[in-house]
Amino acid sequence: MSDLQILVTSMGQTDFSLIGKMRLDCDAIIANQADREEVATEETPFGCVKMITTATRGVGLNRNIALMASSGEILLFADDDVTYYDETPAHVVEAFRQNPKADVIIFGMDYEKGGKIIERRHLKGKKLHLWNAMRFGAVSLAIRREALLRGNITFHQLFGGGCLYGSGEDSLFLKSCFDRKLRVYSNEYVLGVCKRDESSWFSGCNEKYFYDKGVLMAYLFPKCKHLMALYFSIRFKKPTELSCSRRIRWMFAGLRGSKTMAPYQKEA
C-alpha cells in the first residue's frame, strides 16, 4: 500500500501521456471514459499508474470507479487539466503527518486560462466548516482512505459533467464528509496549476444552469433550500443574460424538480 495515490478523471485517453503532462510523481489511477473497456498499467520511477477505461459517462461515476480501485493510505483527487508542482506527493503526505487529526485536507491551487494565471487560491492552515469549504473543488482535496471507507462516502452520480445535473458533485462529497463527522482542514501548500479553459460540459450561466443549481440546493440544504436559492440568485456575480427574477424562477423550478429527479426542460 502506497502513502499517496492520485485519482484522475479523464476522457478519451489512448495512452499514458498524462503521466508526463500532469507530472504524476507517485502511484495513480486514471479513470478514463471512452468507447471501450480495458485495464492497463504503466510502471514509472515513482510508482505504478493504472488506467481503467470504461464506456460509462458522468464525472461522479468516474470518480467512484477510481475510488473502488484505490489502495493508497491518502487519496488526492484530480482532473486531467491539473499540472502538479515539484514534490507535491511529499508535501501532501507531510501535511497529513503534521496534522494527525485531519481526515480531509484542502490545499491551494493556481488557476490558468489562456496560458496566464487568473486566480490564486493560497490558503491558511485552519479547521474548516461546511460554510467555508463549499467553494473548493475536488481537485484541491485529499482524504484518508480509511476515513472515506469508515464514512461510506462516494460521489453523487446525478451531479457533475456528463450527468443529469451539470455540477455540484464536489460540494455534495464535502457535505457527506461533514455529515459523517470527518475533520476537514485547509493547508498552505499549493498543489499545482489547473486550467480553466472552456469545458465540454459547460454551456454558460443559462436557464439550465440555474435549474440545476436549484436541484443542488435542495440536496445540499434541505431545511433551508428556498432561502439558499434566493441568496444564490441575488448574490450571483458571473456573466449571465438572465435577470435576477428569472434566476430565482429557474432555481425554484429546480427545487420543485428535485422531488422527482426531473431534468431541465426548456419553456415552450
Side-chain angles (χ1 to χ4, degrees):
M1 180 182 292
S2 61
D3 290 334
L4 176 69
Q5 200 170 35
I6 299 177
L7 307 185
V8 184
T9 54
S10 187
M11 291 189 68
Q13 299 299 316
T14 58
D15 55 30
F16 283 91
S17 57
L18 282 181
I19 295 174
K21 176 187 171 186
M22 296 181 64
R23 302 179 70 180
L24 298 175
D25 293 345
C26 64
D27 285 357
I29 295 174
I30 302 172
N32 176 41
Q33 294 184 326
D35 295 323
R36 64 187 191 280
E37 306 277 344
E38 68 178 24
V39 177
T41 58
E42 181 86 358
E43 295 292 337
T44 77
F46 309 102
C48 177
V49 178
K50 177 185 288 188
M51 183 182 294
I52 303 172
T53 302
T54 66
T56 62
R57 292 295 182 270
V59 67
L61 174 57
N62 213 22
R63 290 203 197 281
N64 287 338
I65 289 171
L67 277 178
M68 287 188 291
S70 67
S71 59
E73 293 181 17
I74 299 166
L75 307 176
L76 175 63
F77 298 107
D79 293 331
D80 60 10
D81 53 4
V82 173
T83 301
Y84 291 109
Y85 291 143
D86 289 341
E87 300 182 354
T88 284
H91 283 284
V92 173
V93 171
E94 180 63 14
F96 278 92
R97 189 193 69 79
Q98 291 185 359
N99 190 352
K101 293 182 179 180
D103 297 308
V104 178
I105 297 181
I106 295 175
F107 294 90
M109 183 71 72
D110 290 333
Y111 291 89
E112 175 188 280
K113 188 172 184 178
K116 296 181 179 180
I117 300 295
I118 60 169
E119 181 182 358
R120 296 182 188 273
R121 291 191 179 180
H122 295 194
L123 313 177
K124 295 180 179 180
K126 62 180 181 179
K127 188 172 184 180
L128 298 177
H129 303 279
L130 181 62
W131 59 85
N132 60 2
M134 286 290 101
R135 66 189 184 96
F136 298 104
V139 297
S140 298
L141 189 154
I143 187 169
R144 294 187 194 272
R145 184 168 177 270
E146 181 275 329
L148 182 141
L149 294 175
R150 172 167 35 90
N152 192 26
I153 300 169
T154 58
F155 282 88
H156 205 296
Q157 294 178 193
L158 287 179
F159 294 86
C163 301
L164 184 63
Y165 306 116
S167 63
E169 80 286 353
D170 332 61
S171 298
L172 288 164
F173 183 89
L174 273 169
K175 184 174 185 296
S176 295
C177 291
F178 285 106
D179 288 345
R180 305 300 197 280
K181 309 300 181 186
L182 269 60
R183 295 160 296 190
V184 182
Y185 290 80
S186 57
N187 185 274
E188 299 89 346
Y189 182 71
V190 180
L191 297 171
V193 178
C194 181
K195 291 185 178 179
R196 272 193 173 166
D197 296 318
E198 292 302 315
S199 166
S200 58
W201 303 113
F202 182 65
S203 57
C205 299
N206 52 21
E207 294 169 347
K208 184 182 187 305
Y209 174 87
F210 288 99
Y211 181 92
D212 290 357
K213 288 296 183 184
V215 179
L216 178 62
M217 293 299 168
Y219 278 76
L220 283 174
F221 309 107
K223 293 182 179 180
C224 58
K225 56 188 177 183
H226 293 91
L227 180 62
M228 295 304 297
L230 277 172
Y231 179 83
F232 183 88
S233 302
I234 294 169
R235 299 284 295 174
F236 191 78
K237 293 185 176 11
K238 295 179 182 178
T240 178
E241 296 180 356
L242 298 183
S243 65
C244 182
S245 62
R246 287 185 64 78
R247 297 197 295 267
I248 294 171
R249 176 179 175 179
W250 279 106
M251 287 202 70
F252 273 59
L255 294 179
R256 295 191 296 274
S258 69
K259 298 176 181 178
T260 58
M261 289 199 323
Y264 160 81
Q265 292 185 347
K266 189 172 178 62
E267 290 179 323

